[in-house]
Amino acid sequence: MALHNLVITVVDGGKSATHTNSFSKNKEGSNNEDNPKDGLLYKTLNYNQTIKNKLNDKMPSTTYFAMESAFQIAKQTTRQIANYYISDIGRSNGDSDYQAQVNRTVEVVGDVGGLLGGALSGAASGSMFGVAGAVVGAVVGLASSAISTGFKYAEKERAYQHERFKENTSQAYNLARANYSVFTGRVR
């Protein structure tokens, strides 16, 4: 994040041209109609960046940096408090299986949110190219998130099957060592 505006001055044959890092205004200060970042779709899907840009234009960089840091700390604190209380539900009720169910529900909600977030992120990235770009970006973002989530669950299933195999093998081995058979009076 730059704390100061960047100004580039190019001198060519005695003529001078100045360019700033602002995409929304040209040299005279009027709005640039050719810029796709000025469109309503782009601004709506990239509302976070739009708000940041508006705030950054209206206040000093140090104040903006302090506000952004305070917001990030508040967001992190809220998440940690929620995580702390959610992770204590099973202990407070004395039921570890209930805690496992709560954790699983939180994970599923997080995965669905990840899919939606991937679609929105893709749409925000593609919105620079209009409605068609937003749609293509949303599809690509959703597909990318779905592939990632699918492999996550495939890995979980493989780990579960491996654990079941180890438990079944261990049980068969222990039964064989204990000599469970018809002749010893015990049936396998």
Side-chain angles (χ1 to χ4, degrees):
M1 178 175 75
L3 296 178
H4 303 286
N5 287 334
L6 177 65
V7 177
I8 300 172
T9 302
V10 178
V11 177
D12 181 24
K15 301 175 188 174
S16 123
T18 303
H19 176 74
T20 63
N21 66 343
S22 173
F23 288 107
S24 62
K25 296 189 177 190
N26 62 15
K27 192 167 67 171
E28 290 83 24
S30 63
N31 287 336
N32 185 359
E33 300 299 327
D34 296 332
N35 191 356
K37 291 185 178 182
D38 289 337
L40 180 62
L41 178 65
Y42 182 85
K43 287 181 178 180
T44 303
L45 290 174
N46 293 291
Y47 70 91
N48 195 12
Q49 189 63 35
T50 303
I51 292 170
K52 282 182 181 180
N53 289 342
K54 293 251 184 206
L55 286 175
N56 200 9
D57 288 344
K58 300 210 187 261
M59 67 177 64
S61 297
T62 53
T63 305
Y64 174 75
F65 179 71
M67 276 185 49
E68 187 176 18
S69 298
F71 177 73
Q72 292 298 331
I73 290 171
K75 187 167 74 168
Q76 179 184 4
T77 303
T78 304
R79 285 183 179 172
Q80 292 298 326
I81 288 171
N83 185 35
Y84 176 78
Y85 285 109
I86 288 172
S87 67
D88 195 42
I89 290 173
R91 187 198 60 77
S92 63
N93 290 323
D95 188 359
S96 61
D97 288 333
Y98 182 60
Q99 181 65 51
Q101 290 174 354
V102 168
N103 289 345
R104 180 71 182 123
T105 302
V106 168
E107 182 182 10
V108 167
V109 168
D111 288 342
V112 169
L115 290 172
L116 294 174
L120 285 175
S121 175
S125 297
S127 66
M128 182 183 225
F129 302 105
V131 175
V135 170
V136 170
V139 169
V140 170
L142 180 64
S144 175
S145 296
I147 289 169
S148 176
T149 303
F151 275 107
K152 172 185 163 185
Y153 283 106
E155 181 64 32
K156 281 185 162 203
E157 177 64 23
R158 183 167 52 183
Y160 173 75
Q161 293 300 331
H162 182 66
E163 278 301 313
R164 293 296 304 146
F165 170 76
K166 287 191 329 188
E167 288 175 10
N168 290 339
T169 304
S170 175
Q171 183 182 21
Y173 175 76
N174 287 335
L175 288 172
R177 280 195 57 154
N179 196 20
Y180 277 17
S181 68
V182 177
F183 303 115
T184 61
R186 302 175 189 160
V187 181
R188 260 188 186 186

